Amino acid sequence: MDLPRIFTIRESNHRIHNPFTPGKLADLGEALRLAPGARVLDLASGSGEMLCTWARDHGITGTGVDISTMFTETARARAVELGVADRVTFVHGDAAGHVADEPVDLAACVGATWIGNGVAGTVELLARSLKPGGLTLIGEPYWRREVPDQETLEGCLGGGANDFLLLPELVERFGELGYGVVEMVLADQDSWDRYQAAQWLTMRRWLDAHPEDELAAEVRAELTAEPARYTRYQREYLGWGVFALMAR
């Protein structure tokens, strides 16, 4: 049970596996007004930067669950580095279907709503771990503006399904699920650049060091195509944000 190896190659130097800078992650923690001792569950926690920095800065406690062996090990090392290993725990496992042993103050899935087969299923999954009156945190892409044609759509999604909404429609979707948006922090083009463009240097360094690896041809193809695709399509049309929700 693990992530595909190509994914960990791309993001092996990322601490945040979404288009957020450390500053935006810190802004989100401040915006949520987290109380010391608040219990947080982070499903698909990646390299643990959210839990670790918020434990350091706000005194929260928490558990992260992620399917990647490499990212889970990185998260545990980051907790030690920041001196919060006694407050946060990282579990290697499938976040899909994971429910906390005890109700938490904040339940999060930031950028991986595939674990619940989409936004609705992920919101429902998180609710199963949440205290009454607690916060749900969802990170999700959205369209910054209407997509004009099929070429642009395919360029943005790389062949994936078109299940994203415009920002107002996404907010309305949360309402249809019975939740109000009480805070949000949105990525901008600079934070998208820091997420996407940083992968290109990582992949190039990896390719130079592993030219005969079985994935070398796939990495080389991505390096050839992705910078143009990202700058032509994704950078202009795809947004991303983290939305704090409370049940109505």
Side-chain angles (χ1 to χ4, degrees), residues 13-24:
N13 284 309
H14 283 45
R15 281 184 173 166
I16 302 170
H17 302 284
N18 293 298
F20 251 22
T21 60
K24 285 190 177 289

Side-chain angles (χ1 to χ4, degrees), residues 101-125:
D101 293 336
E102 297 180 19
V104 299
D105 300 287
L106 187 154
C109 177
V110 178
T113 55
W114 48 265
I115 68 168
N117 295 314
V119 168
T122 302
V123 168
E124 189 278 331
L125 171 62

